[in-house]
């Protein structure tokens, strides 16, 4: 019989006898491999630049482009699109005759401006509070006082119809991608296609299928406004705490019960952000809709731009901003109130219903009076708009003269320090060198998951016969996205950590996102001239607000318990931001980068109008000349492929970094392609 020997006590073990923890060999950092690829690229470029770049001038096209032009011209309206167009026309015409345009023999709409203002104010109070009711009333009155009542109502109708369709179509898709990763991959691919393809490109197809007018405006607006609500709402539903999901599973809830009772209510804030982004995206299509005779405020803006009258374009442009702020604040306040009521807060429901019922009496009186009194049916004419326009023109002349030197210095610094060297490397390299180098960079940065998208997108760019132009756009896109994310991190963190800062900056962001790019292109052109930098500035102004809001939302969403735990350990503000808030908001940062990139790409065509050339010019030229429609389509598809490639590489890199952050386990022979 053997006797078991007790293990020695811990205190009796020699310190030197305790083996050190195993450490795996650390692999070479990714940034080193990036430098290696760039060094090799530059070395080969230095002896081969200017050869096999596949350069194609703006008026040249290949046989492939000619065949595409023939195919585009072969499409025409069909019974399905005619039914859809008639349905949209019926809705829009009914609403326009109700609140916007005269209905003969009446010289005014069925409900005059006084009745519309009264109804809108009552709705603002019913779904939110008195402050929102006053905001709604002031916004509607401004539409009339500046002489744009009919155009404003037209834009509100087109936007409301488009957003309604976007919600009906988009929210089920958001739920689907939240519960099914496989469906999410395919749906996200379609969203990338919609969001990155320039609106002028699918405007060509929509015009062929639906003709001109309201149906084309609604369909184009819907296509552009759909992705934000699907992406952002899907992210919010999917990002609900796994611990909460496990708790609901342990109670035996079904998937529909979990969605309706847990995930969707907990993602309410993010869903509202998605709805707001959809509304603002729809409003930003006002000018594009005016190109195909779509009703709304885009028409006076476009007319002013053709006359190079900044002030005349500014007034309706600012009214678009006012409408965007009104809709944004109303939806946000309505969401906050419903959440507060669901938790048992807010005022007494019976008293509120009584107040709403009493307020219906003056609303009904206002509607009745607006049908029988011409002064309450049609807004009286004023000179406010012209006065503001003249003041704006005078101020703009003074401003451009004062900052002309500083603006030129900044433009030169970015152009010569960043844009020109990168463009020389990307566009003046032989196409096969750029292809190989970009593929290697995609693999180094994103790992194996980035290989297939990079290969497919780069191959597609080559086959579309616009490689040189695509490299120029890639260069501008990378620079603009970098500037967008710098602004997003600085301002987003600031807003997320301070409610006061958020209240001050958010209206500015709403203005930047909703004011038509064509309006602020006039002063930007005056400052920088028709150059690539002008296009980059326009893209940054348009893309930064969405990215900043998403970063701020992610920072604000970090639990207070986690923040307090960090502060209790003596963390500084910088450590709290970099070690706690930004890592925990990683999902929002990735989404902000994704949205910033896609918004930048959506401005490529407008960049082509202000001297950027390349793919943007190709799209515009193809839209204006039917013989070159194929080249315009190829340019639009090239923009889409660029967006998908960069997006997939960034997503793969973020997932790779997140996995490494979670695991933190020793690795042997860490390879850069994992």
């Amino acid at each position: 019989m053997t006797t078991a020997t007790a293990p020695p006590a811990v205190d009796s073990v020699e310190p030197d006898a305790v083996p050190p923890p195993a450490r795996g060999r650390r692999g070479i950092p990714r940034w080193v491999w990036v430098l290696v690829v760039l060094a090799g690229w530059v070395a080969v470029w230095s002896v081969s630049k200017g050869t096999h770049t596949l350069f194609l001038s703006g008026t040249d096209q290949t046989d492939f482009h000619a065949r595409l032009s023939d195919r585009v011209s072969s499409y025409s309206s069909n019974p399905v699109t005619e039914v859809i167009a008639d349905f949209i026309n019926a809705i829009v015409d009914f609403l326009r005759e109700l609140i916007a345009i005269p209905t003969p023999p009446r010289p005014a709409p069925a409900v005059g401006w006084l009745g519309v203002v009264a109804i809108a104010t009552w709705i603002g109070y019913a779904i939110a509070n008195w402050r929102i009711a006053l905001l709604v009333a002031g916004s509607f009155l401004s539409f009339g006082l500046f002489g744009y009542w009919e155009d404003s109502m037209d834009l509100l109708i087109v936007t409301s119809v488009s957003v309604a369709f976007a919600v009906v179509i988009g929210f089920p898709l958001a739920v689907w991608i939240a519960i099914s990763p496989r469906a999410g991959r395919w749906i996200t691919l379609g969203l990338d296609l919609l969001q990155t393809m320039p609106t002028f490109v699918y405007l060509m197809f929509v015009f062929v299928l639906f003709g001109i007018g309201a149906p084309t405006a609604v369909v184009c607006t819907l296509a552009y406004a759909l992705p934000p609500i699907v992406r952002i709402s899907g992210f919010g539903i999917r990002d609900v705490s796994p611990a909460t999901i496990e708790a609901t599973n342990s109670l035996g809830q079904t998937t529909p019960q979990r969605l309706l009772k847990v995930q969707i209510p907990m993602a309410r804030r993010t869903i509202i952000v998605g709805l707001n982004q959809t509304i603002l995206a729809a409003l930003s299509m006002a000018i594009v809709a005016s190109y195909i005779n779509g009703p709304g405020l885009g028409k006076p803006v476009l007319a002013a731009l053709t006359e190079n009258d900044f002030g005349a374009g500014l007034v309706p442009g600012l009214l678009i901003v006012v409408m965007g702020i009104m809709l944004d604040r109303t939806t946000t306040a309505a969401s906050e109130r419903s959440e507060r009521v669901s938790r048992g807060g807010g005022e007494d429901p019976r008293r509120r219903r009584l107040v709403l019922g009493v307020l219906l009496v003056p609303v009904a009186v206002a509607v009745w009076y607006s049908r029988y009194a011409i002064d309450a049916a049609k807004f009286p004419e004023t000179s406010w708009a012209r006065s503001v326009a003249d003041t704006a023109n005078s101020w703009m002349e003074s401003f451009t003269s004062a900052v002309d030197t500083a603006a030129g210095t900044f433009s030169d610094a970015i152009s010569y320090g960043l844009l020109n060297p990168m463009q020389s490397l990307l566009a003046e390299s032989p196409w096969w060198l750029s292809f190989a180098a970009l593929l290697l960079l995609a693999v180094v940065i994103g790992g194996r998951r980035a290989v297939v998208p990079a290969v497919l997108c780069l191959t597609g760019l080559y086959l579309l016969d616009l490689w040189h132009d695509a490299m120029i756009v890639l260069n501008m896109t990378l620079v603009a996205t970098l500037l967008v994310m710098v602004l997003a991190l600085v301002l987003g963190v600031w807003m997320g950590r301070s409610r006061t800062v958020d209240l001050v900056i958010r209206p500015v962001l709403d203005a930047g996102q909703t004011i038509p790019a064509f309006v602020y292109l006039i002063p930007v052109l005056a400052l920088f001239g028709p150059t690539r930098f002008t296009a980059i500035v326009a893209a940054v102004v348009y893309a930064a607000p969405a990215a900043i809001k998403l970063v701020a939302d992610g920072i604000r969403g970090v639990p207070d318990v986690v923040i307090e735990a960090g502060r209790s350990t003596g963390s500084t503000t910088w450590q709290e931001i970099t070690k706690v808030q930004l890592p925990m908001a990683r999902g929002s940062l990735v989404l902000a980068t994704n949205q910033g990139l896609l918004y930048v790409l959506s401005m490529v065509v407008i960049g082509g109008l202000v001297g950027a050339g390349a793919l943007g010019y190709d799209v515009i030229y193809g839209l204006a000349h039917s013989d070159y429609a194929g080249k315009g389509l190829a340019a639009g598809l090239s923009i889409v492929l660029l967006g998908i490639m960069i997006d997939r590489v960034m997503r793969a890199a973020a997932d790779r970094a997140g996995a490494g952050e979670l695991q933190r386990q020793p690795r042997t022979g860490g390879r850069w392609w994992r």
Side-chain angles (χ1 to χ4, degrees):
M1 180 178 177
T2 58
T3 306
T5 304
V10 173
D11 293 338
S12 66
V13 179
E14 295 289 337
D16 293 338
V18 180
R23 293 182 179 270
R25 291 185 293 111
R26 295 183 60 85
I28 300 176
R30 274 183 288 172
W31 64 268
V32 175
W33 286 109
V34 170
L35 293 179
V36 169
V37 174
L38 290 176
W41 189 355
V42 172
V44 180
W45 164 82
S46 63
V47 298
S48 62
K49 61 180 178 179
T51 62
H52 304 290
T53 60
L54 304 182
F55 172 77
L56 196 66
S57 71
T59 56
D60 292 339
Q61 61 178 338
T62 64
D63 292 338
F64 172 71
H65 299 153
R67 291 195 299 271
L68 272 181
S69 298
D70 294 338
R71 180 59 61 88
V72 170
S73 62
S74 67
Y75 288 103
S76 60
S77 59
N78 56 72
V80 176
T81 57
E82 289 178 359
V83 170
I84 296 174
D86 290 342
F87 177 68
I88 295 175
N89 262 327
I91 296 175
V92 173
D93 289 345
F94 170 76
L95 293 175
R96 293 187 71 199
E97 292 175 358
L98 184 66
I99 64 173
I101 61 176
T103 55
R106 288 175 50 83
V111 180
W113 70 266
L114 182 63
V116 173
V117 172
I119 294 173
T121 304
W122 184 87
I123 293 175
Y125 175 70
I127 64 176
N129 50 54
W130 277 112
R131 289 188 294 273
I132 297 299
L134 293 176
L135 173 64
V136 171
S139 300
F140 273 78
L141 288 174
S142 68
F143 302 150
L145 291 173
F146 284 97
Y148 290 100
W149 177 265
E150 181 176 327
D151 290 325
S152 299
M153 294 303 99
D154 284 340
L155 178 59
L156 183 63
I157 289 168
V158 171
T159 300
S160 300
V161 173
S162 302
V163 171
F165 283 139
V167 172
V168 171
I169 298 172
F171 194 71
L173 292 177
V175 173
W176 195 10
I177 66 174
I179 63 178
S180 173
R182 178 178 298 179
R185 285 191 291 270
W186 289 103
I187 293 174
T188 301
L189 183 63
L191 297 178
D192 291 342
L193 182 66
L194 288 175
Q195 203 166 6
T196 57
M197 177 173 284
T199 52
F200 287 92
V201 176
Y202 56 73
L203 182 64
M204 191 185 313
F205 289 104
V206 178
F207 170 74
V208 171
L209 293 174
F210 295 96
I212 63 174
T216 305
V218 170
V219 172
C220 285
T221 304
L222 168 63
Y224 188 68
L226 182 64
I229 192 169
V230 179
R231 287 184 188 277
I232 299 174
S233 300
F235 166 76
I237 296 172
R238 185 177 59 249
D239 202 46
V240 173
S241 171
T244 304
I245 301 299
E246 290 296 331
T248 59
N249 290 339
S250 66
L251 296 175
Q253 283 190 339
T254 63
T255 298
Q257 289 174 329
R258 185 170 63 247
L259 280 169
L260 295 175
K261 296 182 179 181
V262 179
Q263 289 178 284
I264 292 177
M266 293 189 69
R268 185 195 305 273
R269 181 185 297 273
T270 306
I271 292 172
I272 293 301
V273 171
L275 178 61
N276 289 350
Q277 293 301 303
T278 290
I279 292 173
L280 298 180
L283 286 173
S284 70
M285 288 290 291
I287 306 295
V288 177
S290 66
Y291 270 93
I292 38 82
N293 200 32
L297 285 168
K299 284 186 175 181
V301 174
L302 192 61
L305 288 174
T306 59
E307 301 172 0
N308 200 25
D309 188 343
F310 170 71
L314 179 66
V315 175
L318 288 179
L319 291 179
I320 297 176
V321 176
V322 170
M323 188 177 296
I325 294 174
M326 176 190 71
L327 295 175
D328 172 74
R329 297 296 183 271
T330 302
T331 53
T332 302
S335 171
E336 292 175 350
R337 181 182 178 278
S338 64
E339 186 174 355
R340 186 170 60 251
V341 170
S342 65
R343 294 179 178 178
E347 59 186 284
D348 180 37
R350 292 184 178 178
R351 180 176 177 275
R352 183 175 180 82
R353 285 194 293 269
L354 178 61
V355 172
L356 289 173
V358 171
L359 289 177
L360 278 176
V361 176
V363 170
V365 172
V367 172
W368 173 83
Y369 186 70
S370 71
R371 288 182 55 83
Y372 294 98
I374 191 65
D375 58 336
K378 296 183 65 176
F379 239 102
E381 296 184 1
T382 66
S383 60
W384 289 22
R386 191 63 258 174
S387 298
V388 172
D390 293 339
T391 303
N393 285 332
S394 176
W395 177 86
M396 183 51 60
E397 291 178 4
S398 302
F399 175 76
T400 52
S401 299
V403 303
D404 182 65
T405 302
T409 302
F410 180 64
S411 173
D412 291 342
I414 297 295
S415 297
Y416 291 107
L418 200 59
L419 274 174
N420 290 349
M422 288 179 59
Q423 178 170 315
S424 181
L425 183 62
L426 280 165
E428 295 182 14
S429 295
W431 73 267
W432 50 264
L433 176 59
S434 298
F435 189 112
L438 290 173
L439 179 58
L440 285 174
L441 287 175
V443 176
V444 169
I445 296 172
R448 288 178 294 187
R449 288 183 55 189
V451 174
V452 174
V455 170
L456 293 177
C457 291
L458 290 171
T459 302
L461 290 174
Y462 172 76
L463 295 176
L464 289 169
D465 289 344
L466 290 171
W467 180 270
H468 185 269
D469 287 353
M471 292 302 101
I472 294 176
V473 169
L474 176 61
N475 173 47
M476 293 190 296
T477 299
L478 292 175
V479 173
T481 304
L482 175 64
L483 296 176
V484 166
M485 287 313 298
V486 169
L487 290 174
L489 287 174
V490 174
L491 297 180
V493 170
W494 196 15
M495 290 171 61
R497 292 174 58 85
S498 172
R499 288 284 183 181
T500 303
V501 173
D502 186 274
L503 290 174
V504 173
I505 295 181
R506 192 169 289 270
V508 179
L509 298 180
D510 292 339
Q513 196 171 4
T514 55
I515 192 169
F518 293 86
V519 174
Y520 55 73
L521 275 180
I522 296 179
V524 173
L525 277 170
L527 285 173
F528 303 109
T531 63
R532 297 165 302 166
F533 189 75
T534 303
I536 288 176
V537 171
V540 170
V541 172
Y542 183 64
I548 293 171
K549 288 179 182 179
L550 288 169
V551 172
D553 185 61
I555 294 296
R556 192 178 299 114
V558 176
D560 294 336
V561 176
V562 177
I563 302 297
E564 292 299 329
R567 291 174 180 172
S568 66
T569 61
S571 297
T572 64
T573 300
W574 177 253
Q575 291 172 330
E576 183 178 302
I577 294 172
T578 58
K579 302 296 184 182
V580 180
Q581 291 180 305
L582 288 178
M584 293 196 69
R586 182 188 302 275
S588 294
L589 295 180
V590 173
L591 188 60
T593 305
N594 171 273
Q595 292 296 290
L597 167 69
L598 297 179
Y599 276 110
V600 165
L601 282 171
S602 70
M603 291 290 289
V604 166
V605 176
I606 295 179
L609 293 172
V610 294
L615 297 178
Y617 176 82
D618 296 334
V619 172
I620 293 297
Y621 197 80
L623 185 63
H625 302 81
S626 59
D627 293 341
Y628 289 84
K631 187 176 182 180
L633 175 59
L637 293 176
S638 297
I639 296 172
V640 173
L641 291 177
L642 285 174
I644 293 174
M645 180 179 69
I646 302 174
D647 174 63
R648 291 299 182 269
V649 171
M650 289 193 306
R651 286 176 181 268
D655 293 342
R656 186 181 180 193
E661 189 74 23
L662 290 173
Q663 292 175 0
R664 293 291 186 186
Q665 293 179 353
R667 296 183 301 174
T668 57
R671 297 187 173 96
W672 51 267
W673 62 79
R674 290 188 172 181

